[in-house]
């Protein structure tokens, strides 16, 4: 019910019965109390629902991939404060900060360890109110990235290469709007294993020159 309310500290359990013929995929949930949706979702109250792929419905190599979950939450302090004021609230988001941060699983810049040469299936959810996300990767590791599905639906032709080998090795950005999901297969190798290496996702919105260079090359 869109009119159901839970006070701070209260809890409730919801049980949803997924039809047997529902396609597998990566999905999104969030609270939907009228006049409070943006305030709650924009503050990070959202999460991922995974409907498991029926056996045999995806290629064997995908079935065998270890999965990594990334729930990306864009927290815009200024926007949240404005929303709170418009709703005549006076409890949350009492700040003048103009910070915008993207958290991964509720953490700022967490680390995920991968085994060299092994393929992983990253299920990524982007939760935001207004901001679009244009994301790519960089680092000393050499990584291959393949797009499998968007918004819980498999591509007609999958996997789609995101490594950008045909574009002077510039990675193809992942475009995500609020509530978008992406399933991406990733495998990395380290040129100098003894020294260690890394690859990181980052937002091109914070790298204007690089964004313009990528757009100009299209």
């Amino acid at each position: 019910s869109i009119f159901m309310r839970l006070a701070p500290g209260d809890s409730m359990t919801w049980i949803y019965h997924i039809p047997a013929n529902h396609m597998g995929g990566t999905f999104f949930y969030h609270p939907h109390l009228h006049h409070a949706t943006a305030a709650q979702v924009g503050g990070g109250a959202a999460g991922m629902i995974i409907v498991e792929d029926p056996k045999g419905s995806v290629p064997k190599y995908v079935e065998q991939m270890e999965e990594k979950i990334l729930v990306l939450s864009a927290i815009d302090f200024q926007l949240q404060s404005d929303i709170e004021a418009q709703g005549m609230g006076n409890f949350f988001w009492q700040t003048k900060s103009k910070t915008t941060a993207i958290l991964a699983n509720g953490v700022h810049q967490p680390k995920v360890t991968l085994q060299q040469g092994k393929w992983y299936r990253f299920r990524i959810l982007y939760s935001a109110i207004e901001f679009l996300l244009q994301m790519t990767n960089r680092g000393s590791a050499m990584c291959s990235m393949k797009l499998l599905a968007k918004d819980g639906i498999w591509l007609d032709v999958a996997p789609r290469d995101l490594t950008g080998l045909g574009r002077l090795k510039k990675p193809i950005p992942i475009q995500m709007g609020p509530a978008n999901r992406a399933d991406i297969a990733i495998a990395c190798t380290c040129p100098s294993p003894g020294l260690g290496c890394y690859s990181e996702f980052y937002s091109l919105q914070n790298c204007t020159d690089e964004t313009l260079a990528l757009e100009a090359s299209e």
Side-chain angles (χ1 to χ4, degrees), residues 24 52-64 121 154:
E52 298 290 352
D53 300 303
K55 190 170 180 60
S57 65
V58 299
K60 195 71 175 177
Y61 69 88
V62 176
E63 284 186 354
Q64 295 173 345
R121 179 179 179 177
W154 279 76

Side-chain angles (χ1 to χ4, degrees), residues 27-147:
F27 301 97
F28 177 48
Y29 73 85
H30 64 81
H32 214 296
L33 178 67
H34 271 201
H35 307 296
T37 303
Q40 295 184 16
V41 176
M48 182 185 294
I49 294 177
I50 296 174
V51 178
E52 298 290 352
D53 300 303
K55 190 170 180 60
S57 65
V58 299
K60 195 71 175 177
Y61 69 88
V62 176
E63 284 186 354
Q64 295 173 345
M65 288 181 188
E66 181 180 338
E67 294 188 358
K68 301 289 186 181
I69 308 300
L70 281 183
V71 176
L72 304 177
S73 303
I75 311 295
D76 181 338
F77 286 73
Q78 180 65 59
L79 177 62
Q80 289 303 111
S81 180
D82 291 345
I83 291 173
E84 178 80 0
Q86 291 169 17
M88 294 182 291
N90 58 6
F91 185 75
F92 296 108
W93 301 105
Q94 301 306 301
T95 176
K96 297 186 182 298
S97 173
K98 299 183 183 299
T99 297
T100 299
I102 296 181
L103 306 181
N105 300 339
V107 180
H108 183 243
Q109 296 184 341
K111 294 181 180 179
V112 177
T113 300
L114 305 181
Q115 180 180 329
Q116 181 173 223
K118 177 179 176 180
W119 282 96
Y120 295 83
R121 179 179 179 177
F122 276 72
R123 294 182 183 264
I124 303 174
L125 160 68
Y126 179 56
S127 176
I129 300 301
E130 292 184 343
F131 285 110
L132 300 178
L133 178 63
Q134 190 179 38
M135 182 175 68
T136 188
N137 72 301
R138 64 184 174 189
S140 56
M142 299 175 61
C143 297
S144 296
M145 299 175 57
K146 311 284 185 180
L147 182 63

